[in-house]
Every structure is written in C-alpha cells, then in structure tokens.
Amino acid sequence: MGLEASCAATLDGETSRGKALLETNEVLFRGDFRARVPLSEIKGVTVGGDTLTLKWRGGTLALELGAAAQKWAEKIRNPPSRLAKLGVKPRSRVALVGDFGFDAAFESELAEGGANDNKTLSRTPSRTRVDVLFYAPTTRAALARIAALSKRLDPAGALWIVRPKGKDTPVTETDTRKAGLAAGLVDVKVAAFSTTHTAVKFVIPVARRRRVASLPTRR
C-alpha cells in the first residue's frame, strides 16, 4: 500500500525507534528489533491517540504514528483489491499477453470487476489501443516485445510487466527496467501481483502523450 513512517514502536514490552512500512500484505518495523505482521494474521486493530496497535499471533505491536495512525488503521482494515492496486477500473480496456497460467483466477477477477465491459479479454495480436496491458514474459529475451506492446497503449495507459519473483528469476528487475526505458517508457510503480510474481508499471512519458494520441489507431 506504500505507506512508511519513522516512529517509535513497542513489541511485547521492548521499545525502539525505527521505520514502519505498510506493504501490500504485511506491516514491517525495522529498528533495534524487527517485526513482520502479515495482514492475514491480524486479530485486532486499534487506535489510541497517536498510537496504532496491532495484535496478531506473533504478539502485539504498537506504532506511534501520530496523526497518521487512523489512516494506517483504515487501510489495514479495508485493504484495496488487487485490481484497484493495479489501476483497473470498471469498463477498462484490458489486454493480457503471455502465459498467465500461474494465476488462473486473475482473468476471472478482471471479468468480475467489469474490465472490457464484461467482454472477453483481448488475447489477440490486435493493435487496438487499451487502457491497461499486462505482459508476462518468461525469459529475458521476451522483454524485447515491450517496445511493440507499448504501441497498443492509450496515451494515458499502463503497461504492467508481470515477472517471477526470486533471486533465480529468469526475468530480473534490472533487465525489466532497462527494457522498458529502452522502449521509451518510464517505470512508476512496483506492486505485488501474487505470491510468486511481482509487477512493474510502465507508462508513456507525459511529454510524448500528445504525439501518441495523434497517431491513428490500428485495428
């Protein structure tokens, strides 16, 4: 979810100053001690004054977040859906390119969320513009397709590169970023896509969007 704060924290009686982070699936604290609180394991979320207190099976973590405590609590209690985090709205024109067999539920999520006005998701080589394009390369060489795929984007659209996590991944973060920049795009966000994959969001630079909008749409 992308929130962070420098604060004091107390974990089962031990207090330290450090950095707290609210991530997609967990709350982290790094100071004299470290704490990792999976959102799925949280049993209680309370705010008292400037302090957010989280109870989970690993203990009790209190974060002195000041005025931000309530905001953190709301995000923990009501986390955004995956589609919301990825910028997919009802009626968004969405295309999937590549093998998404690692997450069979994703296509159903898109359809249930109203993407493509409940029509079949585009998996064809059509160059019709879309609002969001998800590409799942499985090799470093496959990143060469980014330049061609970017031509399918609406000027304000997004291209998400969905790649396997892990130190032995065949598609690294560095290679992905280099390929996107070489295609004339800029990377603006990283999001957890699933337990096995991460996603990097690329967009067309603002200075180029007017020129892209003037190009004829291909079908």
Side-chain angles (χ1 to χ4, degrees):
M1 299 178 212
L3 295 181
E4 64 177 69
S6 296
C7 66
T10 301
L11 176 64
D12 296 334
E14 182 180 358
T15 299
S16 170
R17 289 203 62 85
K19 179 175 286 188
L21 300 98
L22 176 53
E23 303 285 10
T24 301
N25 299 312
E26 59 194 5
V27 175
L28 303 173
F29 179 78
R30 298 167 182 158
D32 293 337
F33 62 82
R34 294 199 171 200
R36 174 179 173 274
V37 185
L39 300 188
S40 61
E41 296 181 10
I42 292 177
K43 305 299 182 183
V45 180
T46 58
V47 176
D50 294 338
T51 302
L52 170 69
T53 301
L54 306 175
K55 293 184 178 180
W56 87 110
R57 66 183 185 182
T60 300
L61 178 67
L63 301 172
E64 297 178 18
L65 297 171
Q70 191 63 49
K71 179 179 180 180
W72 281 52
E74 289 301 318
K75 284 187 172 291
I76 292 170
R77 292 180 183 128
N78 302 290
S81 69
R82 174 162 61 169
L83 295 189
K85 290 185 294 181
L86 296 173
V88 178
K89 302 175 181 179
R91 302 180 71 86
S92 289
R93 297 165 297 169
V94 179
L96 298 182
V97 179
D99 184 1
F100 281 81
F102 62 87
D103 193 336
F106 185 54
E107 192 163 339
S108 296
E109 280 182 47
L110 288 167
E112 291 169 4
N116 288 21
D117 196 20
N118 291 319
K119 296 178 181 178
T120 302
L121 288 165
S122 173
R123 285 182 173 275
T124 70
S126 167
R127 293 184 180 180
T128 301
R129 285 185 183 155
V130 295
D131 301 306
V132 189
L133 191 151
F134 293 95
Y135 177 41
T138 55
T139 65
R140 179 180 179 183
L143 291 170
R145 293 188 65 185
I146 290 178
L149 292 174
S150 69
K151 295 177 181 178
R152 296 185 60 184
L153 294 180
D154 181 84
L159 170 62
W160 285 94
I161 306 301
V162 184
R163 63 179 189 83
K165 295 179 182 178
K167 63 179 181 179
D168 297 323
T169 177
V171 185
T172 68
E173 179 181 355
T174 298
D175 288 338
T176 300
R177 186 169 184 274
K178 285 182 178 178
L181 295 177
L185 305 175
V186 291
D187 55 314
V188 295
K189 184 177 181 179
V190 176
F193 187 85
S194 69
T195 56
T196 60
H197 285 64
T198 190
V200 183
K201 180 182 180 180
F202 289 93
V203 298
I204 299 169
V206 174
R208 286 182 50 220
R209 291 181 186 178
R210 183 174 297 178
R211 179 166 62 85
V212 171
S214 68
L215 296 175
T217 301
R218 300 181 183 179
R219 294 184 181 275

PDB file of all heavy atoms in Angstrom, residues 203-218:
ATOM      1  N   VAL A 203       4.667   3.599 -18.051  1.00  0.00           N
ATOM      2  CA  VAL A 203       3.743   4.495 -18.739  1.00  0.00           C
ATOM      3  C   VAL A 203       4.507   5.288 -19.800  1.00  0.00           C
ATOM      4  O   VAL A 203       5.742   5.364 -19.783  1.00  0.00           O
ATOM      5  CB  VAL A 203       3.044   5.474 -17.768  1.00  0.00           C
ATOM      6  CG1 VAL A 203       2.215   4.730 -16.754  1.00  0.00           C
ATOM      7  CG2 VAL A 203       4.073   6.372 -17.082  1.00  0.00           C
ATOM      8  N   ILE A 204       3.764   5.899 -20.711  1.00  0.00           N
ATOM      9  CA  ILE A 204       4.354   6.778 -21.722  1.00  0.00           C
ATOM     10  C   ILE A 204       4.678   8.115 -21.054  1.00  0.00           C
ATOM     11  O   ILE A 204       3.830   8.672 -20.345  1.00  0.00           O
ATOM     12  CB  ILE A 204       3.369   6.992 -22.882  1.00  0.00           C
ATOM     13  CG1 ILE A 204       3.053   5.656 -23.557  1.00  0.00           C
ATOM     14  CG2 ILE A 204       3.935   7.981 -23.894  1.00  0.00           C
ATOM     15  CD1 ILE A 204       1.903   5.729 -24.541  1.00  0.00           C
ATOM     16  N   PRO A 205       5.878   8.652 -21.237  1.00  0.00           N
ATOM     17  CA  PRO A 205       6.201   9.950 -20.629  1.00  0.00           C
ATOM     18  C   PRO A 205       5.190  11.016 -21.041  1.00  0.00           C
ATOM     19  O   PRO A 205       4.713  11.028 -22.182  1.00  0.00           O
ATOM     20  CB  PRO A 205       7.594  10.264 -21.193  1.00  0.00           C
ATOM     21  CG  PRO A 205       8.176   8.929 -21.537  1.00  0.00           C
ATOM     22  CD  PRO A 205       7.010   8.092 -21.993  1.00  0.00           C
ATOM     23  N   VAL A 206       4.867  11.906 -20.128  1.00  0.00           N
ATOM     24  CA  VAL A 206       3.854  12.940 -20.383  1.00  0.00           C
ATOM     25  C   VAL A 206       4.179  13.749 -21.628  1.00  0.00           C
ATOM     26  O   VAL A 206       3.287  14.079 -22.424  1.00  0.00           O
ATOM     27  CB  VAL A 206       3.730  13.867 -19.154  1.00  0.00           C
ATOM     28  CG1 VAL A 206       2.785  15.028 -19.454  1.00  0.00           C
ATOM     29  CG2 VAL A 206       3.231  13.082 -17.946  1.00  0.00           C
ATOM     30  N   ALA A 207       5.452  14.051 -21.839  1.00  0.00           N
ATOM     31  CA  ALA A 207       5.843  14.873 -22.981  1.00  0.00           C
ATOM     32  C   ALA A 207       5.534  14.208 -24.317  1.00  0.00           C
ATOM     33  O   ALA A 207       5.407  14.889 -25.345  1.00  0.00           O
ATOM     34  CB  ALA A 207       7.336  15.196 -22.905  1.00  0.00           C
ATOM     35  N   ARG A 208       5.396  12.884 -24.334  1.00  0.00           N
ATOM     36  CA  ARG A 208       5.142  12.167 -25.580  1.00  0.00           C
ATOM     37  C   ARG A 208       3.670  11.844 -25.799  1.00  0.00           C
ATOM     38  O   ARG A 208       3.284  11.388 -26.872  1.00  0.00           O
ATOM     39  CB  ARG A 208       5.921  10.839 -25.592  1.00  0.00           C
ATOM     40  CG  ARG A 208       7.419  10.976 -25.808  1.00  0.00           C
ATOM     41  CD  ARG A 208       8.068   9.598 -25.854  1.00  0.00           C
ATOM     42  NE  ARG A 208       7.358   8.717 -26.783  1.00  0.00           N
ATOM     43  CZ  ARG A 208       7.111   7.422 -26.555  1.00  0.00           C
ATOM     44  NH1 ARG A 208       7.492   6.851 -25.433  1.00  0.00           N
ATOM     45  NH2 ARG A 208       6.469   6.692 -27.454  1.00  0.00           N
ATOM     46  N   ARG A 209       2.837  12.058 -24.808  1.00  0.00           N
ATOM     47  CA  ARG A 209       1.458  11.573 -24.888  1.00  0.00           C
ATOM     48  C   ARG A 209       0.639  12.274 -25.967  1.00  0.00           C
ATOM     49  O   ARG A 209      -0.184  11.647 -26.628  1.00  0.00           O
ATOM     50  CB  ARG A 209       0.767  11.707 -23.523  1.00  0.00           C
ATOM     51  CG  ARG A 209       1.345  10.757 -22.500  1.00  0.00           C
ATOM     52  CD  ARG A 209       0.671  10.857 -21.161  1.00  0.00           C
ATOM     53  NE  ARG A 209       1.357  10.022 -20.190  1.00  0.00           N
ATOM     54  CZ  ARG A 209       1.022   9.926 -18.908  1.00  0.00           C
ATOM     55  NH1 ARG A 209      -0.020  10.626 -18.449  1.00  0.00           N
ATOM     56  NH2 ARG A 209       1.708   9.150 -18.096  1.00  0.00           N
ATOM     57  N   ARG A 210       0.848  13.553 -26.163  1.00  0.00           N
ATOM     58  CA  ARG A 210       0.076  14.266 -27.184  1.00  0.00           C
ATOM     59  C   ARG A 210       0.406  13.719 -28.574  1.00  0.00           C
ATOM     60  O   ARG A 210      -0.476  13.536 -29.408  1.00  0.00           O
ATOM     61  CB  ARG A 210       0.364  15.756 -27.127  1.00  0.00           C
ATOM     62  CG  ARG A 210      -0.455  16.567 -28.126  1.00  0.00           C
ATOM     63  CD  ARG A 210      -0.247  18.049 -27.944  1.00  0.00           C
ATOM     64  NE  ARG A 210      -0.722  18.483 -26.625  1.00  0.00           N
ATOM     65  CZ  ARG A 210      -0.625  19.734 -26.197  1.00  0.00           C
ATOM     66  NH1 ARG A 210      -0.063  20.670 -26.961  1.00  0.00           N
ATOM     67  NH2 ARG A 210      -1.079  20.061 -25.001  1.00  0.00           N
ATOM     68  N   ARG A 211       1.685  13.428 -28.805  1.00  0.00           N
ATOM     69  CA  ARG A 211       2.071  12.890 -30.114  1.00  0.00           C
ATOM     70  C   ARG A 211       1.487  11.496 -30.314  1.00  0.00           C
ATOM     71  O   ARG A 211       1.012  11.163 -31.393  1.00  0.00           O
ATOM     72  CB  ARG A 211       3.600  12.829 -30.225  1.00  0.00           C
ATOM     73  CG  ARG A 211       4.099  12.269 -31.542  1.00  0.00           C
ATOM     74  CD  ARG A 211       5.575  12.559 -31.728  1.00  0.00           C
ATOM     75  NE  ARG A 211       6.385  11.933 -30.699  1.00  0.00           N
ATOM     76  CZ  ARG A 211       6.807  10.665 -30.773  1.00  0.00           C
ATOM     77  NH1 ARG A 211       6.462   9.906 -31.803  1.00  0.00           N
ATOM     78  NH2 ARG A 211       7.565  10.165 -29.827  1.00  0.00           N
ATOM     79  N   VAL A 212       1.486  10.680 -29.243  1.00  0.00           N
ATOM     80  CA  VAL A 212       0.918   9.342 -29.348  1.00  0.00           C
ATOM     81  C   VAL A 212      -0.573   9.419 -29.634  1.00  0.00           C
ATOM     82  O   VAL A 212      -1.120   8.657 -30.431  1.00  0.00           O
ATOM     83  CB  VAL A 212       1.175   8.548 -28.041  1.00  0.00           C
ATOM     84  CG1 VAL A 212       0.402   7.237 -28.047  1.00  0.00           C
ATOM     85  CG2 VAL A 212       2.674   8.284 -27.885  1.00  0.00           C
ATOM     86  N   ALA A 213      -1.257  10.360 -28.999  1.00  0.00           N
ATOM     87  CA  ALA A 213      -2.706  10.498 -29.190  1.00  0.00           C
ATOM     88  C   ALA A 213      -3.059  10.863 -30.622  1.00  0.00           C
ATOM     89  O   ALA A 213      -4.144  10.531 -31.117  1.00  0.00           O
ATOM     90  CB  ALA A 213      -3.253  11.546 -28.233  1.00  0.00           C
ATOM     91  N   SER A 214      -2.155  11.556 -31.319  1.00  0.00           N
ATOM     92  CA  SER A 214      -2.429  11.987 -32.683  1.00  0.00           C
ATOM     93  C   SER A 214      -2.214  10.880 -33.714  1.00  0.00           C
ATOM     94  O   SER A 214      -2.646  10.998 -34.853  1.00  0.00           O
ATOM     95  CB  SER A 214      -1.537  13.172 -33.046  1.00  0.00           C
ATOM     96  OG  SER A 214      -0.182  12.776 -33.121  1.00  0.00           O
ATOM     97  N   LEU A 215      -1.584   9.791 -33.306  1.00  0.00           N
ATOM     98  CA  LEU A 215      -1.342   8.688 -34.249  1.00  0.00           C
ATOM     99  C   LEU A 215      -2.635   7.925 -34.475  1.00  0.00           C
ATOM    100  O   LEU A 215      -3.447   7.755 -33.552  1.00  0.00           O
ATOM    101  CB  LEU A 215      -0.280   7.738 -33.680  1.00  0.00           C
ATOM    102  CG  LEU A 215       1.124   8.343 -33.495  1.00  0.00           C
ATOM    103  CD1 LEU A 215       2.023   7.325 -32.810  1.00  0.00           C
ATOM    104  CD2 LEU A 215       1.701   8.773 -34.826  1.00  0.00           C
ATOM    105  N   PRO A 216      -2.863   7.431 -35.697  1.00  0.00           N
ATOM    106  CA  PRO A 216      -4.096   6.666 -35.954  1.00  0.00           C
ATOM    107  C   PRO A 216      -4.105   5.358 -35.185  1.00  0.00           C
ATOM    108  O   PRO A 216      -3.072   4.731 -34.988  1.00  0.00           O
ATOM    109  CB  PRO A 216      -4.028   6.428 -37.473  1.00  0.00           C
ATOM    110  CG  PRO A 216      -2.573   6.493 -37.799  1.00  0.00           C
ATOM    111  CD  PRO A 216      -2.001   7.534 -36.885  1.00  0.00           C
ATOM    112  N   THR A 217      -5.282   4.978 -34.722  1.00  0.00           N
ATOM    113  CA  THR A 217      -5.432   3.710 -34.029  1.00  0.00           C
ATOM    114  C   THR A 217      -5.483   2.583 -35.058  1.00  0.00           C
ATOM    115  O   THR A 217      -6.241   2.639 -36.010  1.00  0.00           O
ATOM    116  CB  THR A 217      -6.729   3.695 -33.197  1.00  0.00           C
ATOM    117  OG1 THR A 217      -6.668   4.775 -32.267  1.00  0.00           O
ATOM    118  CG2 THR A 217      -6.866   2.380 -32.440  1.00  0.00           C
ATOM    119  N   ARG A 218      -4.689   1.557 -34.846  1.00  0.00           N
ATOM    120  CA  ARG A 218      -4.663   0.434 -35.779  1.00  0.00           C
ATOM    121  C   ARG A 218      -5.591  -0.668 -35.309  1.00  0.00           C
ATOM    122  O   ARG A 218      -5.728  -0.918 -34.125  1.00  0.00           O
ATOM    123  CB  ARG A 218      -3.238  -0.126 -35.876  1.00  0.00           C
ATOM    124  CG  ARG A 218      -2.230   0.892 -36.361  1.00  0.00           C
ATOM    125  CD  ARG A 218      -0.857   0.235 -36.448  1.00  0.00           C
ATOM    126  NE  ARG A 218       0.159   1.209 -36.840  1.00  0.00           N
ATOM    127  CZ  ARG A 218       1.446   0.907 -36.968  1.00  0.00           C
ATOM    128  NH1 ARG A 218       1.855  -0.332 -36.760  1.00  0.00           N
ATOM    129  NH2 ARG A 218       2.309   1.832 -37.316  1.00  0.00           N
TER     130      ARG A 218
END
